[in-house]
Amino acid sequence: MKTAETAAPQAAPDTAYTPGEAARVIRNTKGLPVGIRPKMVWTWPKALLWALVAIVGAIGWSVLALARGEQISAVWFLIVALCSYAIAYRFYAYYIQLKIMRTDDANATPAERVHDGANFERADRRVLFGQHFAAISGAGPLVGPILAAQMGYLPSVLWIILGVIFAGAVQDMLMLWISAKRRGRSFGQMATDEMGKVGGIIISVFLVVVTAIAMAFLALVAIKAMASSPWAVFSLGMTIPIALIMGCYERFLRPGRVIETTVLGFVLLVLAIVGGGMIAANPTLAPIFTLDAKQLVVALIIYSFAAAALPHWLLVTPRDYLSTLMKIGTLALLVVGIVIANPRVQVPGLTTLAGRSDGPTFSGSLFPFLFITIACGALSGFHGAVSSGLTPKAIEKENQIRMIGYGSMLVESFTAIIALIAAVTISQGVYFSMNMSPTQIEAAAGASYSATASAEDNAVAAIGNMDVDTIEGKHMEVSWTSNGTTYEGAAALDAAAHDVGETSLVSRTGGATTFAIGMANFLKSYLGGEGTMAFWYHFAIMFEALFILTTVDNGTRVARYQIGDLLGNVRKLRRFADPTWRPGNLITTFIATAAWGTMLYMGVSDANGGINAMVPIFGISNQLLAAGCLMLVTVCVVKAGLAKYAWIPVVPLLWDVAVTFTADFEKIFDDKLGYFAAAASWREKIASGALEGEALANARASLSNAYLDGALSVFFLVMMTAFLAVGVKVCVATARARRFGAEFTSEEPFVESTWFAPSGLLATKLERKALAEYDMIVGTSTDASRDEDDADEERPAVGAVAAQVPA
């Protein structure tokens, strides 16, 4: 790989490099420091520290795996996750960086090469980390682990942690790497360049359909949380003007002052949350911000169009960063709450439902459907679309890729672990009462079901008939403790609903309510006590909605790029593939928002239509997309001449193909789980003549939906099979021709960088020295007492830096 030539270090009064440090400073041909070579420096204290981390992590895994007949502390989940993440990030991700990515900060990134002030705009690594995390973190890490908890905690913990380490984070980081090496090209563009036009068209069509379904699904979850809630509507709505203020403040008033901008955004966000509660309690203002689902759909479509069309720095970047402040801050509060409350795990490692396929929260056996249900916390194909074409356009240096790509995915996985803790530490009876639909409750209750009884009584009857035991081996019961009093049965469900300010919690399916109750339980333990349960519950609902909507923002932008790629395959429409063409951006943004907006509007208008009909196949299509991402990465690794390291993406690729293809085959052909089997059942019911009126209309809608889901499942399976076949063919052809190296790929030629930025969230001592020298050379202030953010202040544009560097 070509790098800049080494030049003599420039003298700087506040820079004193040791010989070892000087050798690690990367300089361009004019002597300007542009990066630091990564190096793992070992000392005895560091070795002992990592040995301790490994030992503590091993003890934690042993506790989770071997616990039998007694409740264990949920704190062990945190210990296992954090120790595993730390080791994976420090060693495995670093290994991949050295062996495959071979990052070089002397090479300019797409943001520096193009720098158009709109799509290609440098973002501070801390802001970009937040933006990327916000873009990939939707409902998946909150909802999936909660639904999967019906099978016990152990399979979920194993998949969430090991899945992210060896699959999800690897995919995200390597997709970000190959896109950054290719001028920030999107998934579809890179597939066309590396695998030919057929592969590019296949994945572009696949991406457009899946992204539209994903955005509509995520938006539906958020709208259900915000509908008729003035508190959530006001607080979330205020994040838009707050983001605009932050964007203008950081760009025009105080350039580079990230900490100042952060404090400003945090203060305004807290005021918005507090103000939302005040407005919700005001009888005059509350109706103004009380919007129904249809009104929220229209508002969301308008906002998403504006967010995708406006320059990235103006709205999306600061709003996502603002959202991340709330997300990371709330996660930190939850960790503290879990440690203080020290909740006990109520669910065994494996429940009886793990060996069955008729679970109430989702249908299907542990393999493959648990790995489909838990997606975003371990592996998600949608992340690959964000990591290509979106984040690469804003990254400052190649050595930031590990921190942003791998690190942000670890944080999302940790979010999934916290969601799992929320599900397994409440009464199992309450958990199943919330996550079973009325139909499932009726079926489980059997002869004990009564049409005249309350939903709570029927739920208790259903729980009594279910063959599920607690971690102590006792049959699960419905219980709830409030203000020191423990309630049983229907009274427990009534008490739980009263504590969170709801009329009923029965059949609040989807996992969002379960997470909100768990979150409220953790936070009340040290922030306000029992009396604040309702406050924290509604705060959690808003937290979940904010989590989701930031993904919708960026998903719309991703869909815009994919639609542009697809249109660009037509000769007369090639200009649509240019992300800097403004008219094309507006047209493709309109198409993207119209696609998912139509499905969403139908979904809120008709309980059996729109996105509601496509939710069942969302998980499978998302994981199939992950197989496509890993296939493209494998092709790029092989063509780069690094075939001996191709096992790194190939191993998770093979696992993902085994899981998703098995799941898709079962949903197509299985006589119990299959869509076409369900269609046949509905067809028989309709033909019997026993249904009439609304029941007949619903049956016909269900019949249509079953056929639609079945057709989409076949479509996705055929499309991904074809794409994988093209990828394998390219790899084999490359190996036979022995045409390896960057010159045989679409990788951009080396362009010398004139920009310096640290690699991690916190700058190292050596990076601070190099930054001081950089500032001295380009003529900015070099006050040694300022912090890193002060050192970033008012850095000149790329061209200006080049002009000031001495020859």
Side-chain angles (χ1 to χ4, degrees):
M1 179 180 294
K2 184 178 178 181
T3 59
E5 297 177 4
T6 303
Q10 301 293 318
D14 54 354
T15 300
Y17 299 115
T18 65
E21 290 176 337
R24 291 181 59 199
V25 177
I26 302 171
R27 300 179 182 276
N28 62 17
T29 54
K30 296 183 178 180
L32 186 70
V34 293
I36 303 296
R37 291 184 179 83
K39 182 180 180 181
M40 186 178 291
V41 180
W42 281 103
T43 61
W44 277 110
K46 285 185 179 180
L48 292 175
L49 175 62
W50 284 112
L52 179 62
V53 170
I55 292 171
V56 172
I59 293 173
W61 278 113
S62 300
V63 170
L64 296 186
L66 302 177
R68 298 289 187 276
E70 62 177 345
Q71 295 182 357
I72 60 174
S73 170
V75 175
W76 284 112
F77 287 72
L78 303 181
I79 293 173
V80 163
L82 292 174
C83 290
S84 300
Y85 297 153
I87 293 172
Y89 181 81
R90 187 64 184 89
F91 298 100
Y92 189 54
Y94 184 71
Y95 175 82
I96 297 173
Q97 180 180 1
L98 292 182
K99 300 300 182 180
I100 292 182
M101 293 161 52
R102 305 185 181 188
T103 51
D104 182 9
D105 280 352
N107 190 27
T109 61
E112 187 173 356
R113 292 167 185 252
V114 181
H115 194 59
D116 62 1
N119 295 293
F120 294 85
E121 176 64 29
R122 293 186 303 255
D124 182 275
R125 68 200 183 281
R126 295 156 294 187
V127 176
L128 188 60
F129 179 91
Q131 176 191 332
H132 184 77
F133 172 66
I136 65 175
S137 300
L142 301 177
V143 174
I146 289 174
L147 300 180
Q150 69 172 3
M151 293 186 171
Y153 67 78
L154 192 56
S156 298
V157 170
L158 287 168
W159 173 233
I160 291 171
I161 296 179
L162 299 183
V164 74
I165 289 173
F166 296 107
V170 172
Q171 171 205 264
D172 290 12
M173 179 174 67
L174 291 180
M175 283 293 288
L176 179 55
W177 164 67
I178 64 175
S179 182
K181 286 290 191 181
R182 290 160 176 79
R183 207 180 185 86
R185 291 185 179 92
S186 65
F187 192 176
Q189 286 177 308
M190 292 190 296
T192 300
D193 295 338
E194 302 295 342
M195 300 171 60
K197 194 170 184 178
V198 173
I201 292 176
I202 290 173
I203 205 63
S204 294
V205 172
F206 194 99
L207 271 166
V208 169
V209 177
V210 172
T211 303
I213 293 174
M215 294 305 96
F217 167 68
L218 294 174
L220 182 65
V221 175
I223 283 176
K224 284 184 176 180
M226 292 192 298
S228 303
S229 175
W231 187 358
V233 169
F234 175 82
S235 300
L236 286 171
M238 285 303 296
T239 61
I240 298 173
I242 292 174
L244 293 172
I245 292 172
M246 292 175 64
C248 293
Y249 183 90
E250 202 273 337
R251 187 173 182 87
F252 300 116
L253 298 179
R254 302 282 283 175
R257 298 279 187 165
V258 177
I259 291 181
E260 287 185 15
T261 309
T262 300
V263 172
L264 174 64
F266 177 77
V267 171
L268 292 176
L269 180 61
V270 171
L271 292 176
I273 295 172
V274 175
M278 296 172 63
I279 284 177
N282 189 301
T284 302
L285 296 177
I288 298 175
F289 293 93
T290 302
L291 304 180
D292 61 27
K294 293 181 180 179
Q295 292 171 324
L296 286 170
V297 170
V298 175
L300 183 57
I301 290 174
I302 294 173
Y303 162 72
S304 295
F305 178 85
L310 289 172
H312 216 257
W313 63 266
L314 180 59
L315 181 57
V316 173
T317 296
R319 188 185 187 278
D320 287 352
Y321 183 59
L322 183 65
S323 300
T324 304
L325 285 178
M326 181 177 175
K327 293 176 183 179
I328 299 296
T330 302
L331 291 177
L333 292 176
L334 287 173
V335 170
V336 174
I338 292 171
V339 173
I340 293 177
N342 192 25
R344 317 303 290 181
V345 176
Q346 308 293 320
V347 182
L350 284 173
T351 70
T352 54
L353 293 175
R356 294 158 52 183
S357 60
D358 58 348
T361 65
F362 69 90
S363 299
S365 56
L366 190 153
F367 180 89
F369 289 100
L370 179 134
F371 307 100
I372 298 297
T373 303
I374 301 178
C376 296
L379 173 66
S380 171
F382 176 72
H383 294 186
V386 176
S387 296
S388 60
L390 189 63
T391 302
K393 290 182 171 67
I395 198 165
E396 293 176 300
K397 309 298 295 185
E398 288 187 6
N399 278 327
Q400 295 175 355
I401 293 175
R402 177 168 66 117
M403 182 264 291
I404 294 172
Y406 201 94
S408 61
M409 185 56 189
L410 292 182
V411 177
E412 180 171 359
S413 179
F414 191 57
T415 304
I417 289 293
I418 292 177
L420 179 64
I421 293 174
V424 301
T425 54
I426 63 175
S427 162
Q428 280 187 279
V430 174
Y431 166 81
F432 282 108
S433 297
M434 288 191 293
N435 289 286
M436 294 171 64
S437 68
T439 302
Q440 291 168 329
I441 288 176
E442 182 177 356
S448 301
Y449 182 84
S450 173
T452 59
S454 67
E456 285 73 19
D457 286 329
N458 282 326
V460 171
I463 297 301
N465 286 343
M466 291 178 64
D467 182 22
V468 179
D469 293 335
T470 66
I471 196 172
E472 297 168 314
K474 302 176 182 178
H475 189 275
M476 67 172 174
E477 297 179 348
V478 182
S479 63
W480 182 263
T481 301
S482 177
N483 293 311
T485 302
T486 299
Y487 300 88
E488 304 288 345
L493 296 175
D494 289 332
H498 178 269
D499 283 352
V500 298
E502 297 285 344
T503 56
S504 176
L505 293 177
V506 177
S507 297
R508 300 291 291 271
T509 58
T513 300
T514 305
F515 177 81
I517 284 183
M519 179 173 166
N521 266 326
F522 302 149
L523 295 181
K524 75 173 185 182
S525 65
Y526 74 108
L527 294 175
E530 294 284 346
T532 61
M533 186 78 176
F535 172 87
W536 289 119
Y537 171 83
H538 286 93
F539 177 86
I541 293 296
M542 186 189 67
F543 168 80
E544 291 175 291
L546 186 62
F547 230 100
I548 295 165
L549 290 181
T550 50
T551 305
V552 174
D553 294 348
N554 290 279
T556 302
R557 188 176 288 260
V558 168
R560 182 189 90 189
Y561 293 139
Q562 303 306 330
I563 293 171
D565 294 343
L566 191 58
L567 294 176
N569 286 309
V570 180
R571 180 176 300 177
K572 294 183 179 180
L573 302 177
R574 284 181 178 175
R575 199 170 182 187
F576 278 95
D578 180 6
T580 63
W581 186 43
R582 192 69 174 169
N585 288 343
L586 295 176
I587 294 172
T588 52
T589 300
F590 175 80
I591 295 173
T593 51
W596 64 257
T598 300
M599 287 190 290
L600 177 61
Y601 193 85
M602 291 171 61
V604 300
S605 302
D606 177 10
N608 294 305
I611 185 59
N612 291 301
M614 301 180 189
V615 166
I617 50 95
F618 167 68
I620 292 176
S621 62
N622 183 53
Q623 299 302 75
L624 283 173
L625 183 57
C629 293
L630 291 167
M631 186 74 256
L632 177 61
V633 168
T634 301
V635 168
C636 292
V637 169
V638 171
K639 293 180 73 173
L642 302 172
K644 65 180 180 180
Y645 301 113
W647 63 268
I648 291 173
V650 166
V651 170
L653 170 61
L654 294 176
W655 168 258
D656 187 46
V657 168
V659 168
T660 52
F661 276 53
T662 301
D664 212 354
F665 267 98
E666 289 191 23
K667 297 301 285 187
I668 294 172
F669 299 109
D670 190 270
D671 57 359
K672 293 182 179 179
L673 300 175
Y675 295 124
F676 294 111
S681 176
W682 285 114
R683 192 168 55 248
E684 290 178 4
K685 292 180 181 179
I686 294 172
S688 69
L691 302 177
E692 59 183 21
E694 184 179 353
L696 180 60
N698 288 338
R700 287 172 175 168
S702 297
L703 175 63
S704 299
N705 294 341
Y707 278 126
L708 175 61
D709 288 338
L712 284 172
S713 296
V714 173
F715 168 77
F716 288 142
L717 186 63
V718 170
M719 293 285 282
M720 189 49 61
T721 300
F723 183 78
L724 295 176
V726 172
V728 171
K729 180 181 178 182
V730 171
C731 289
V732 171
T734 300
R736 286 179 175 176
R738 303 190 63 81
R739 293 167 62 88
F740 304 120
E743 62 272 22
F744 299 111
T745 71
S746 60
E747 184 176 320
E748 291 283 314
F750 178 87
V751 172
E752 187 173 81
S753 175
T754 58
W755 178 261
F756 181 88
S759 300
L761 288 176
L762 299 177
T764 65
K765 180 180 178 181
L766 179 55
E767 287 174 332
R768 290 195 296 270
K769 288 182 179 181
L771 187 60
E773 181 189 353
Y774 174 90
D775 286 344
M776 185 275 295
I777 294 176
V778 299
T780 56
S781 172
T782 56
D783 181 4
S785 64
R786 61 187 177 165
D787 65 12
E788 187 194 337
D789 287 289
D790 293 329
D792 288 341
E793 182 182 356
E794 297 182 354
R795 288 181 175 176
V798 175
V801 172
Q804 295 178 45
V805 175

